[in-house]
Amino acid sequence: VLVWISYPPLRQAFLSGDNALSFGGVSINTAGRIHMWQVTFESYLTAPWTGIGIDAPSEILYAGGKNHPHNDYLRILHHLGAVGLLLWLLFYGRTMCWVWRAWKAVRDHAQDTLYAKLYATTFMGMTAVALTMLTDNTIVYSFVIYPLAVLIGLSVGAMVVQRHHST
């Protein structure tokens, strides 16, 4: 906060540019994303249930010098339609709920601190990815998704081990 207040170039980096979004009177630079989102959404509307296909945003955005919409939810919606986005949200949301419940169950038990740390890390990682998917193409970053997949796998495996030991 101190750097934000005392260093104007940092504020300008985030608050200047196309300023297409505004929250609470503060304009936010979306770096041309609003246009990419509009083009992608208009294309999605041609096949809303099943989507356009896996590589379509590359084609529709290429004329503007971009090959992705910088919004993974919109990308999934465009590629796989409402059905695909619903399945993604169900999978991701349900997995986050499992990890949250597991974390909640062990976070106050001293003997389960390793499990608590694993579940906390997984939940926070999944939350971070879910949020960055709003303005970036996070699901195609292998350096983000592969470690997250490992954390999810370790968490699910730990849940199975914990259940086995408790029975």
Side-chain angles (χ1 to χ4, degrees), residues 32-129:
R33 283 172 168 79
I34 296 293
H35 171 71
M36 292 183 285
W37 295 344
Q38 288 172 337
V39 169
T40 304
F41 188 75
E42 288 170 8
S43 177
Y44 151 75
L45 290 175
T46 62
W49 291 106
T50 58
I52 304 299
I54 295 300
D55 200 34
S58 300
E59 298 164 7
I60 62 167
L61 293 170
Y62 189 71
K66 306 292 181 197
N67 64 355
H68 49 77
H70 278 295
N71 180 318
D72 278 334
Y73 297 107
L74 187 55
R75 177 196 299 258
I76 293 168
L77 185 67
H78 186 272
H79 285 336
L80 305 171
V83 173
L85 182 61
L86 177 65
L87 290 172
W88 171 261
L89 293 173
L90 285 172
F91 159 75
Y92 205 82
R94 184 67 179 146
T95 304
M96 284 186 75
C97 286
W98 285 340
V99 173
W100 173 261
R101 285 190 200 124
W103 180 27
K104 189 176 169 185
V106 299
R107 65 181 167 207
D108 295 327
H109 303 295
Q111 74 273 15
D112 290 327
T113 56
L114 182 62
Y115 288 119
K117 289 175 184 177
L118 172 62
Y119 299 146
T121 303
T122 303
F123 183 79
M124 290 179 202
M126 291 184 77
T127 301
V129 167

Side-chain angles (χ1 to χ4, degrees), residues 33 36 66-72 75 88 92 125 128-150:
R33 283 172 168 79
M36 292 183 285
K66 306 292 181 197
N67 64 355
H68 49 77
H70 278 295
N71 180 318
D72 278 334
R75 177 196 299 258
W88 171 261
Y92 205 82
V129 167
L131 290 173
T132 60
M133 285 175 64
L134 290 168
T135 60
D136 210 346
N137 49 325
T138 309
I139 61 175
V140 298
Y141 294 156
S142 58
F143 58 88
V144 173
I145 294 301
Y146 293 170
L148 183 62
V150 169

Side-chain angles (χ1 to χ4, degrees), residues 7-19:
Y7 190 63
L10 179 65
R11 283 194 311 275
Q12 288 305 108
F14 289 93
L15 302 177
S16 62
D18 68 2
N19 295 333

